[in-house]
């Protein structure tokens, strides 16, 4: 079965600092991996996805993630945090039939001035 | 011109009642989903429909019954509500195949509180 572990339920950074949100996965098939963002009182929005093409994936709002098979990781980064990045971030992995997503428990990103 | 809309946004009700949540998408997508997000923010798929046909039912109690009158609408009816049903319910849609390679577009959520 597929699973996702997000390390840290909360991450705090200062505005302008590097953002690093960690995600490790387990998958019995070649993984498809996703990062979603949820702003307060809103639905989820896709940031980026890895579907077996380039291992470095660029997404919206300056975010990117690198697929590392040897580490079973798909960490999300952004060079410089903005206040508007404060939100909950979810990592997800596709199931073996690529028909559903299993989500991690989310990481709340807090950005201070 | 909201892409995926849900009504109501908030729903407060007593145990044992029956309630419905409506979802509509104006994206022309073929596949729609219902997700449940619990109090710990854990998000789990409940159902998916492709062209009005049920394709995924993830061991959800049969008190939950999705209904798709057309491919733009997927409603969720819940019978005999229980305290544990309190959660945020998200509707989503994707373009064609129901495969996760298609980007899913989420609605704003319906916060259900069962007293």
């Amino acid at each position: 079965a597929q699973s996702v572990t997000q390390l840290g339920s909360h991450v705090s950074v200062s505005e302008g600092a590097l953002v690093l949100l960690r995600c490790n996965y387990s998958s019995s098939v070649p993984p498809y991996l996703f990062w979603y963002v949820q702003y307060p009182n809103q639905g989820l929005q896709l940031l980026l996805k890895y579907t077996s093409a380039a291992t470095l994936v660029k997404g919206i709002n300056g975010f990117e993630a690198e697929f590392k098979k040897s580490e079973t990781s798909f960490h999300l980064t952004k060079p410089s945090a903005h206040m508007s990045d404060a939100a909950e971030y979810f990592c997800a992995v596709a199931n073996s039939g690529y028909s559903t997503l299993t989500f991690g428990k989310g990481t709340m990103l807090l950005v201070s001035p | 011109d909201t892409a995926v809309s849900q009504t109501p946004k908030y729903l407060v009700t007593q145990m044992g009642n029956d309630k419905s949540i409506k979802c509509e998408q104006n994206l022309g997508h073929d596949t729609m989903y219902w997700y449940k997000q619990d109090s710990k923010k854990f998000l789990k798929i409940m159902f998916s429909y492709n062209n009005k046909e049920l394709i995924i039912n993830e061991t959800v109690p049969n008190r939950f019954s999705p209904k798709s009158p057309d491919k733009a609408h997927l409603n969720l009816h819940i019978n005999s509500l229980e305290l544990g049903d309190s959660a945020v319910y998200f509707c989503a849609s994707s373009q064609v195949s129901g495969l996760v390679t298609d980007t899913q577009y989420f609605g704003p959520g319906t916060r259900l509180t069962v007293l």
Side-chain angles (χ1 to χ4, degrees):
Chain A
Q2 280 58 246
S3 67
V4 164
T5 303
Q6 291 184 242
L7 294 176
S9 59
H10 292 80
V11 169
S12 294
V13 299
S14 299
E15 195 172 18
L18 171 72
V19 175
L20 170 60
L21 304 181
R22 299 178 187 273
C23 173
N24 289 88
Y25 70 90
S26 171
S27 179
S28 57
V29 297
Y32 284 3
L33 296 157
F34 304 77
W35 276 99
Y36 279 82
V37 59
Q38 184 179 23
Y39 297 103
N41 299 314
Q42 294 186 28
L44 278 71
Q45 180 183 0
L46 180 67
L47 274 178
L48 49 81
K49 60 184 175 183
Y50 168 78
T51 55
S52 75
T55 56
L56 182 62
V57 182
K58 294 189 184 298
I60 61 171
N61 301 340
F63 284 93
E64 61 182 37
E66 186 172 8
F67 170 70
K68 291 187 177 180
K69 184 177 178 180
S70 60
E71 299 177 9
T72 60
S73 68
F74 190 57
H75 301 331
L76 182 70
T77 60
K78 181 173 180 177
S80 176
H82 294 166
M83 297 294 290
S84 60
D85 294 327
E88 187 102 30
Y89 291 80
F90 293 91
C91 183
V93 63
N95 70 336
S96 57
Y98 303 109
S99 59
T100 63
L101 296 175
T102 297
F103 286 85
K105 294 190 175 182
T107 298
M108 176 66 76
L109 177 65
L110 306 168
V111 183
S112 55
Chain B
D1 58 345
T2 305
V4 182
S5 58
Q6 296 178 226
T7 53
K9 187 164 184 168
Y10 300 96
L11 185 52
V12 181
T13 187
Q14 301 285 334
M15 270 198 313
N17 284 350
D18 303 338
K19 291 292 178 186
S20 292
I21 306 171
K22 296 186 176 182
C23 177
E24 177 181 2
Q25 55 93 4
N26 62 7
L27 297 168
H29 289 170
D30 287 342
T31 304
M32 296 184 72
Y33 308 81
W34 277 110
Y35 286 87
K36 179 181 179 181
Q37 187 177 45
D38 64 21
S39 59
K40 295 183 179 178
K41 295 284 186 93
F42 184 56
L43 191 68
K44 187 173 169 58
I45 182 101
M46 299 174 69
F47 302 102
S48 75
Y49 269 72
N50 182 267
N51 263 321
K52 304 193 319 179
E53 291 193 19
L54 179 67
I55 54 173
I56 291 171
N57 180 343
E58 290 285 316
T59 58
V60 176
N62 56 16
R63 298 184 295 105
F64 290 79
S65 51
K67 287 185 172 56
S68 183
D70 55 61
K71 74 175 192 177
H73 295 84
L74 181 62
N75 303 323
L76 183 65
H77 189 76
I78 315 170
N79 289 328
S80 303
L81 278 155
E82 300 178 357
L83 292 176
D85 298 332
S86 295
V88 181
Y89 292 84
F90 287 101
C91 178
S93 71
S94 64
Q95 190 160 11
V96 178
S97 61
L99 295 178
V100 296
T101 45
D102 294 335
T103 298
Q104 295 184 27
Y105 294 82
F106 283 75
T110 295
R111 183 174 294 276
L112 171 64
T113 303
V114 182
L115 303 175

